[in-house]
Amino acid sequence: MVQHDTLDRIYSALADSTRRDILTRLGEGPASIGELAGPHGMTLTGMTKHVRVLEDAGLVRTEKVGRSRQCRLGEERLDDAMAWISFYQRLWERRLDGLEAYFTLQRGTDS
């Protein structure tokens, strides 16, 4: 299972709509900080702060290219988040299947 502090950083990073927008944009391919900042009307400093939060969570990787910083998705952390979600999804599916079986049995005894 994934460590809780890792999940805390991932979900905290994902809690902000600007950071989710950044991930969506990076899903189309790499982008510079300036390219990410433009659509949000944000300063480079402001965008760098958002990217740093995503980078600290392992959701984004950055690399200095010339005078700019290129950003890319860091998919491995999204896999961690999905593994955690999948675990609880299976847990709830089993519980709901059990509840369905209970009600089916109850309907059968009421006849």
Side-chain angles (χ1 to χ4, degrees):
M1 195 70 150
V2 180
Q3 300 226 353
H4 289 286
D5 59 329
T6 300
L7 287 174
D8 290 347
R9 282 194 306 274
I10 292 169
Y11 287 116
S12 179
L14 293 173
D16 184 88
S17 64
T18 299
R19 292 192 285 266
R20 290 191 306 271
D21 288 346
I22 292 167
L23 293 175
T24 299
R25 167 54 187 85
L26 293 177
E28 299 169 10
S32 69
I33 298 286
E35 291 170 331
L36 295 172
H40 295 281
M42 190 176 290
T43 65
L44 294 178
T45 303
M47 182 54 67
T48 299
K49 288 179 182 180
H50 281 291
V51 168
R52 191 170 298 130
V53 170
L54 291 167
E55 195 172 20
D56 289 345
L59 297 171
V60 168
R61 292 181 298 136
T62 64
E63 175 185 11
K64 184 90 164 150
V65 178
R67 295 180 63 195
S68 69
R69 184 156 288 284
Q70 282 292 116
C71 304
R72 303 177 188 285
L73 285 180
E75 296 96 1
E76 61 278 350
R77 290 297 182 199
L78 286 177
D79 290 344
D80 290 344
M82 285 306 301
W84 186 84
I85 290 170
S86 294
F87 172 80
Y88 285 97
Q89 180 181 11
R90 288 189 304 275
L91 177 75
W92 278 102
E93 285 173 350
R94 284 194 306 269
R95 287 181 177 183
L96 291 173
D97 289 345
L99 188 60
E100 181 181 20
Y102 171 78
F103 283 120
T104 299
L105 182 63
Q106 289 299 313
R107 278 193 302 263
T109 61
D110 289 341
S111 303

